[in-house]
């Protein structure tokens, strides 16, 4: 009798991130090259609970390397947080003959992956989230593309800001992390970057804007992370009342930061992590996440990943300020 091939399930979960498709492609093709079956699970952990499964072949992942989003669709599942949801998911996996699961997503998704691992399921996590708040990897899939999207937007905003002599407040995503705001603050030459990790008063912001005016700049760019404690529109209102030389406009970049074709960096990172995820499973490893450390991809215990939070390096916040003068 023919032995049943090792069967790998795979899902994407949480907020989508550009490069998820490249990771999906890498898992499918590496799995098949190693005589495994790969089953795509649609709609994240909800799809695992509902048995939304489809076996994937190499041609099913053709032409997706350059596409943003995720062909598997993604969800933020409330049902899976409940242990009964996890029990139902495990039952579905067993019914489908799934031997292991690859979870591609952010910290909430990796939490879900670890919950399955602790119940005896073979699981590997792949970090994907534009927020770059996942502990255990220098960078997650999607971050580089999101930064490039923000940079492109701010470059365009600076053109119109300069033409009109205006200050632009640009809100970036990142949930509770200021990473995207700080790093794009550096690459876009923002006058000031406001992040949840560092308190800043209205007076400090006003001083930065007025200082730019005094120095003869034709514009001022204020990058505000969405988690900062003052809303962008409120901030604009206060700054305009203070008459700082520039009139203020607000742009909330929103979900465009999550879309678009992944950069070369993200395609490469996702491809490498997808390959390493399958290699880990073939070597009998479970309960780890692929993480970029130095030049290589390491395996980081999921328990450590979810117990920690990646902190934004505040040296870069300081650097953004110095370089803007
Ligand atoms: O985690 C990714 C992220 O884009 C955050 O930056 C943001 O706070 C959140 O997801 C937005 O979530 P939703 O897509 O549910 O609006």
């Amino acid at each position: 009798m023919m032995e049943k091939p090792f069967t790998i399930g795979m899902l994407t979960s949480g907020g989508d991130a550009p490069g998820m498709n490249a990771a999906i492609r890498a898992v499918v093709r590496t799995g098949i090259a190693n005589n495994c079956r790969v089953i795509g699970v649609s709609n994240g952990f909800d799809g695992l609970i509902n048995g939304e499964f489809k076996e994937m072949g190499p041609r099913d992942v053709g032409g997706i390397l350059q596409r943003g989003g995720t062909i598997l669709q993604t969800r933020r599942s409330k049902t899976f947080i409940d242990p009964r949801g996890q029990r139902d998911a495990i039952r579905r996996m067993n019914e489908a003959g799934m031997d292991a699961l690859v979870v591609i997503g952010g910290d909430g998704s990796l939490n879900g992956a670890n919950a399955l691992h602790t119940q005896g399921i073979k699981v590997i996590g792949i970090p994907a989230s534009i927020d770059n708040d996942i502990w255990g990897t220098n960078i997650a899939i999607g971050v580089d593309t999101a930064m490039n999207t923000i940079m492109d937007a701010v470059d365009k905003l600076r053109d119109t800001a300069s033409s009109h002599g205006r200050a632009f407040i640009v809100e970036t995503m990142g949930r509770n992390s200021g990473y995207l705001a700080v790093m794009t603050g550096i690459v876009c030459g923002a006058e000031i970057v406001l992040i949840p990790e560092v308190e800043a008063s209205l007076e400090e912001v006003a001083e930065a804007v007025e200082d730019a005016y005094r120095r003869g700049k034709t514009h001022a760019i204020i990058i505000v992370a969405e988690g900062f404690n003052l809303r962008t529109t409120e901030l604009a209102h206060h700054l305009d009342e203070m008459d700082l030389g520039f009139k203020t406009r607000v742009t909330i970049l929103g979900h465009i930061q999550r879309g678009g074709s992944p950069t070369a960096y993200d395609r490469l990172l996702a491809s490498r992590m997808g390959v390493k995820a399958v290699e880990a499973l073939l070597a009998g490893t479970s309960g780890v996440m692929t993480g970029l450390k130095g030049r290589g991809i390491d395996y980081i215990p999921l328990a450590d990943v979810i117990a920690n939070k990646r902190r934004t390096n505040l040296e870069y916040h300081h650097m953004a300020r110095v370089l803007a003068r």
Side-chain angles (χ1 to χ4, degrees):
M1 206 171 79
M2 269 228 322
E3 211 183 309
K4 171 186 157 312
F6 189 72
T7 303
I8 302 170
M10 169 173 53
L11 59 82
T12 49
S13 158
D16 60 347
M20 278 182 161
N21 281 329
I24 292 169
R25 173 177 174 271
V27 169
V28 169
R29 294 197 175 160
T30 310
I32 288 168
N34 287 281
N35 305 315
C36 300
R37 281 175 75 215
V38 181
I39 297 180
V41 179
S42 299
N43 299 316
F45 288 107
D46 281 349
L48 198 62
I49 294 168
N50 301 329
E52 295 174 55
F53 302 154
K54 183 180 171 286
E55 184 157 353
M56 299 176 90
R59 298 282 66 75
D60 293 316
V61 290
I64 66 167
L65 186 59
Q66 73 282 13
R67 280 171 54 192
T70 159
I71 59 161
L72 290 176
Q73 308 273 1
T74 183
R75 293 286 184 276
R76 301 187 199 280
S77 174
K78 287 210 170 62
T79 324
F80 189 76
I81 295 170
D82 188 320
R84 279 171 299 190
Q86 294 164 19
R87 178 201 65 192
D88 293 350
I90 292 172
R91 185 182 164 101
R92 288 285 193 186
M93 287 182 72
N94 287 332
E95 281 167 0
M98 248 182 234
D99 298 301
L101 186 70
V102 174
V103 173
I104 306 168
D107 51 1
S109 314
L110 298 166
N111 226 307
N114 192 54
L116 289 177
H117 168 67
T118 57
Q119 294 171 66
I121 302 293
K122 292 193 184 70
V123 184
I124 306 289
I126 297 182
S129 163
I130 65 161
D131 301 341
N132 214 22
D133 58 352
I134 303 168
W135 190 88
T137 186
N138 293 348
I139 193 159
I141 295 167
V143 176
D144 187 62
T145 307
M147 287 201 296
N148 277 283
T149 301
I150 297 168
M151 185 175 73
D152 185 48
V154 175
D155 285 351
K156 287 174 176 150
L157 290 171
R158 198 189 302 102
D159 288 346
T160 173
S162 290
S163 305
H164 286 263
R166 282 174 173 161
F168 262 81
I169 299 176
V170 185
E171 185 181 300
T172 58
M173 275 189 168
R175 209 180 286 276
N176 302 315
S177 163
Y179 182 91
L180 282 178
V182 166
M183 296 309 180
T184 54
I186 293 173
V187 299
C188 298
E191 271 56 46
I192 187 164
V193 180
L194 305 174
I195 57 174
E197 296 91 334
V198 179
E199 276 185 32
S201 65
L202 183 59
E203 287 66 35
E204 273 175 75
V205 184
E207 174 48 32
V209 172
E210 200 162 39
D211 187 50
Y213 186 77
R214 232 182 274 121
R215 285 167 191 268
K217 292 195 180 187
T218 53
H219 64 266
I221 302 289
I222 304 156
I223 297 194
V224 186
E226 65 174 338
F228 185 67
N229 62 9
L230 202 59
R231 302 316 308 157
T232 40
T233 40
E234 227 179 297
L235 184 60
H237 176 71
H238 289 310
L239 294 180
D240 274 343
E241 275 187 338
M242 290 167 141
D243 189 14
L244 303 167
F246 295 125
K247 282 282 174 217
T248 314
R249 291 288 186 273
V250 174
T251 299
I252 297 173
L253 295 178
H255 288 79
I256 64 159
Q257 294 161 95
R258 288 234 300 263
S261 179
T263 55
Y265 186 91
D266 271 329
R267 294 182 202 191
L268 191 58
L269 181 69
S271 301
R272 292 172 73 197
M273 286 188 170
V275 170
K276 285 286 182 183
V278 175
E279 284 178 3
L281 288 174
L282 294 173
T285 309
S286 172
V288 297
M289 177 191 82
T290 55
L292 181 71
K293 289 268 169 239
R295 294 172 64 176
I297 307 287
D298 270 7
Y299 297 123
I300 321 293
L302 281 170
D304 293 345
V305 172
I306 62 168
N308 293 286
K309 199 89 196 146
R310 187 187 193 287
R311 308 239 169 261
T312 305
N313 184 343
L314 296 182
E315 269 177 41
Y316 292 114
H317 185 253
H318 178 66
M319 184 191 288
R321 196 69 207 273
V322 171
L323 295 183
R325 295 255 161 78

